[in-house]
Amino acid sequence: MAGGAVPESIGGMPHEDLRPPVLQAEGLTKRYGRRRRAALDAVDLTVPADRIIGLVGPNGAGKSTLLHMACGLIEPTSGSLRVLGSRPAADAAHVARVGFMAQDAPVYRSFTVGEHLRLGAKLNPRWDMAFAERRVREAGLDMGQKAGGLSGGQRAQLALTVAAAKRPDLLIFDEPAAALDPLARQAFLHSLLRFVAELDASAVLSSHLLEDVQRVCDHIIVLSDARVQVAGDVRDLLARHRKMTGPPGRPPEPPPGVEVIGVARDDHGSRTVVRIGAAPVQSVEPGGPGLEAVSLEELVLAYMARAEMPRSGAFQEVSR
């Protein structure tokens, strides 16, 4: 967010300044290999608390790198990152405040469901066994069943329960539902929303499934070409962007004061996504000449496409 500012409200409810940002990065850079390829390149980012944050971008954009750094699993090459106001995994107390679920719902295949819960109780000082047992019952899991015999959806529910039963302040999910069928994915996202509400926690959900992000997230980060292309509350981003439609060969001329983010063309016509933050109100009214509401998918794809072109001043949105 520009200047590291934090949005003051969401959904009409004021935010207290008592909670530090979920993530705060300054010049965050991670390079790999002999050629020092950048997975993240000078990322500046401030993400407020009390959000479900969608982290989206193409494969290789740096999403997993960012999340692994947030969990303290890897160190940055340069720059800084603070999670819940502290250095990632600064001490045991901070580790207990972050729950992480990696890709493919990692569980111990030879352990029973009950053994997962008992192990969680030994390793996590804030473990809530009553919460874990209730969630296992609600998910229809057998405490004596080995995890290797569970379906993909059941393993995801078990891994989610283990991450949440430590009662963290922040839940981090790295492509947790990518391999699930539609029904299992829907059940997983429903559980995620319930857990966030019950725990009064924030969450970061990395996913390439924009439908899932739109369903559960109220804040979004578009990461592409190792940099943040745009970030902000979904409601505000959609309010400050529009699309203009026209014939395939000749996109319409945008009105003065708007920034063109990207142009998409197909056999049916052209769609130009524009940012209207600095445009006069009368020229960008919904339903005005040539300007229409933009979908989250259209907005995200426009920024991702722009990232593949020569860099042209990527920015971050901030609530006003």
Side-chain angles (χ1 to χ4, degrees), residues 42-294:
V43 167
D44 294 322
L45 180 69
T46 299
V47 180
D50 306 311
R51 304 293 202 277
I52 300 179
I53 301 113
L55 178 61
V56 299
N59 292 335
K63 302 188 298 297
S64 293
T65 297
L66 177 60
L67 297 186
H68 288 176
M69 278 199 280
C71 294
L73 299 175
I74 57 176
E75 294 285 337
T77 303
S78 61
S80 65
L81 175 65
R82 298 183 74 79
V83 178
L84 302 172
S86 300
R87 181 173 57 83
D91 51 35
H94 191 269
V95 171
R97 297 180 63 197
V98 179
F100 177 57
M101 180 175 167
Q103 297 182 41
D104 303 323
V107 292
Y108 297 100
R109 299 181 68 86
S110 62
F111 280 27
T112 67
V113 171
E115 286 170 338
H116 278 85
L117 303 193
R118 290 190 288 274
L119 179 62
K122 289 181 179 180
L123 297 178
N124 297 286
R126 298 165 60 170
W127 184 263
D128 188 338
M129 184 61 83
F131 172 92
E133 291 176 342
R134 172 170 57 83
R135 284 299 302 137
V136 163
R137 289 194 301 270
E138 291 173 350
L141 302 181
D142 180 351
M143 293 285 280
Q145 174 72 51
K146 288 189 175 182
L150 300 175
S151 69
Q154 289 172 325
R155 288 196 300 273
Q157 289 288 348
L158 175 58
L160 177 56
T161 297
V162 170
K166 62 188 292 188
R167 300 201 71 87
D169 298 314
L170 172 63
L171 284 160
I172 295 178
F173 303 98
D174 188 3
E175 297 280 4
L180 301 182
D181 64 62
L183 284 178
R185 205 168 80 236
Q186 183 179 41
F188 178 88
L189 294 174
H190 178 71
S191 295
L192 186 157
L193 288 172
R194 286 187 58 188
F195 286 173
V196 167
E198 185 170 347
L199 299 172
D200 191 25
S202 301
V204 180
L205 172 66
S206 171
S207 178
H208 65 274
L209 301 170
L210 289 177
E211 178 185 352
D212 291 352
V213 170
Q214 190 159 10
R215 187 182 305 173
V216 302
C217 297
D218 49 31
H219 190 97
I220 193 167
I221 302 167
V222 179
L223 190 61
S224 189
D225 191 31
R227 292 190 170 194
V228 173
Q229 302 300 319
V230 69
D233 285 351
V234 171
R235 180 185 59 187
D236 296 324
L237 290 174
L238 293 179
R240 298 181 68 177
H241 291 78
R242 293 288 186 272
K243 69 178 177 182
M244 306 176 64
T245 57
R250 190 177 62 185
E253 187 71 22
V258 305
E259 178 186 4
V260 175
I261 304 302
V263 180
R265 297 180 177 87
D266 58 28
D267 292 340
H268 303 289
S270 65
R271 293 175 300 283
T272 303
V273 174
V274 299
R275 179 179 182 250
I276 62 173
V281 173
Q282 64 267 23
S283 70
V284 295
E285 286 290 336
L291 289 161
E292 307 169 23
V294 66

